[in-house]
Amino acid sequence: MSGQIKIFADSTCDLPPEWISEHQIGIVPLYVVFGEDSLRDGVDITPIELYAKVDQTGALPKTAAPSPSDFMAAFTPYIEQGDQILYISLSSELSSTYQNALVAAEELPAGQVTVIDSRNLSCGIGLLVMKAVQAVKNGSDMPQIVDMLTSTINQVECEFVIDTLEYLYKGGRCSGMQNLIGSLLKIRPVIKVDDGVMTPAYKVRGKKEKALEQMLANALAKAGDMDNDLIIVVHTMAESEAKFLQQALQEKTGARQVVLSTAGCVISSHCGPQTVGLMYTKKI
């Protein structure tokens, strides 16, 4: 055995493509389903193409987890060369992705695949992935990395400002009345990930900038508790607003890196365009 640890995530981790390439992170794509067409997130369809299809059809796609056979196909080449696999999944509360990876792991040689439930989404997963990548580079073994991730999962802070309730409404996540009232009153919901589940954190009435400033203020109020190694700002079709957050965080925290990333199709299909998210970990 080579003793190498190969880090895997799924397409919802939303890490910048250049990081995925540089650190050789394996990505297993989820599916975006329009009618009879099942498209791999980030491979067969991009967020821009997704939004165009939604505009054309007036309907949102469904999203689907990779199958156990998808995971086996992704993992097997590395298993055959003697590597160990560490896969960090989308929250088990949001998808069957985690369970399907466990099924695949049971079909592969015992002890060769370790599956971690991130209890998060988007770059909340990405933060954990990058910590695992760094731990491998530092020479940590699998039990040490698993212990580190287990300790870190509950320290991940992940919030999104949603620009429109339309996608949440079409996806069945808010009622028609909530959508109508929210649109009329210009209510901007802020969604927080709490123990693996997307929950409303608070609502801001008025311009979106007000909601972004509130999310920023909440983060800066906790700056003393931040792990300043990495903060990630993720967005979908909202680059200027994301850059505003990036610059403010760079200036007002001691973060070594504040990185901009783009959300993939799965997050985009649930939250809609102009969504902006902020993710960091708290000190352990």
Side-chain angles (χ1 to χ4, degrees), residues 37-88:
D37 296 329
S38 188
L39 307 169
R40 291 169 294 171
D41 179 15
V43 178
D44 303 320
I45 187 169
T46 66
I48 291 175
E49 293 166 340
L50 180 146
Y51 293 135
K53 279 182 173 287
V54 171
D55 288 344
Q56 289 165 8
T57 63
L60 284 185
K62 297 184 184 303
T63 56
S67 67
S69 61
D70 288 332
F71 282 108
M72 290 182 68
F75 295 162
T76 296
Y78 298 95
I79 297 293
E80 289 178 345
Q81 69 185 31
D83 291 344
Q84 297 179 72
I85 302 291
L86 175 60
Y87 166 62
I88 303 171

Side-chain angles (χ1 to χ4, degrees), residues 54-260:
V54 171
D55 288 344
Q56 289 165 8
T57 63
L60 284 185
K62 297 184 184 303
T63 56
S67 67
S69 61
D70 288 332
F71 282 108
M72 290 182 68
F75 295 162
T76 296
Y78 298 95
I79 297 293
E80 289 178 345
Q81 69 185 31
D83 291 344
Q84 297 179 72
I85 302 291
L86 175 60
Y87 166 62
I88 303 171
S89 84
L90 172 62
S91 173
S92 61
E93 301 288 344
L94 301 173
S95 169
S96 60
T97 300
Y98 171 73
Q99 190 60 44
N100 289 352
L102 287 178
V103 171
E106 291 173 1
E107 296 295 322
L108 293 165
Q112 291 302 102
V113 179
T114 300
V115 180
I116 297 287
D117 182 355
S118 75
R119 310 294 295 173
N120 223 296
L121 52 76
S122 189
C123 292
I125 305 168
L127 288 166
L128 298 172
V129 171
M130 294 311 299
K131 284 189 175 294
V133 165
Q134 189 57 52
V136 170
K137 290 187 175 182
N138 291 343
S140 299
D141 61 19
M142 187 69 81
Q144 290 171 327
I145 298 172
V146 170
D147 285 347
M148 178 273 294
L149 291 174
T150 302
S151 299
T152 305
I153 284 169
N154 290 333
Q155 305 303 315
V156 176
E157 292 285 321
C158 177
E159 287 189 359
F160 292 89
V161 173
I162 308 293
D163 186 59
T164 171
L165 293 175
E166 188 69 18
Y167 275 58
L168 293 174
Y169 166 60
K170 287 179 178 177
R173 292 172 181 82
C174 77
S175 70
M177 184 60 69
Q178 286 174 318
N179 183 36
L180 176 61
I181 292 172
S183 298
L184 289 174
L185 299 181
K186 298 192 182 304
I187 291 173
R188 313 288 179 177
V190 178
I191 305 297
K192 181 180 177 64
V193 179
D194 187 13
D195 194 22
V197 179
M198 294 173 66
T199 60
Y202 49 91
K203 297 174 183 176
V204 179
R205 184 174 173 181
K207 292 185 177 180
K208 186 178 175 187
E209 288 75 15
K210 187 176 175 183
L212 290 172
E213 287 168 1
Q214 183 64 59
M215 185 168 69
L216 174 63
N218 290 349
L220 292 176
K222 303 173 186 175
D225 296 326
M226 282 183 183
D227 174 351
N228 284 330
D229 188 51
L230 175 62
I231 300 171
I232 303 180
V233 179
V234 65
H235 71 96
T236 171
M237 310 286 286
E239 187 171 1
S240 62
E241 294 162 325
K243 283 184 174 178
F244 158 74
L245 285 180
Q246 179 190 32
Q247 183 175 352
L249 288 162
Q250 195 76 70
E251 291 173 354
K252 297 178 181 181
T253 70
R256 186 174 63 85
Q257 288 188 94
V258 182
V259 173
L260 218 59

Side-chain angles (χ1 to χ4, degrees), residues 19-30:
W19 283 18
I20 291 169
S21 176
E22 177 185 352
H23 301 294
Q24 298 180 19
I25 300 164
I27 297 293
V28 182
L30 273 75

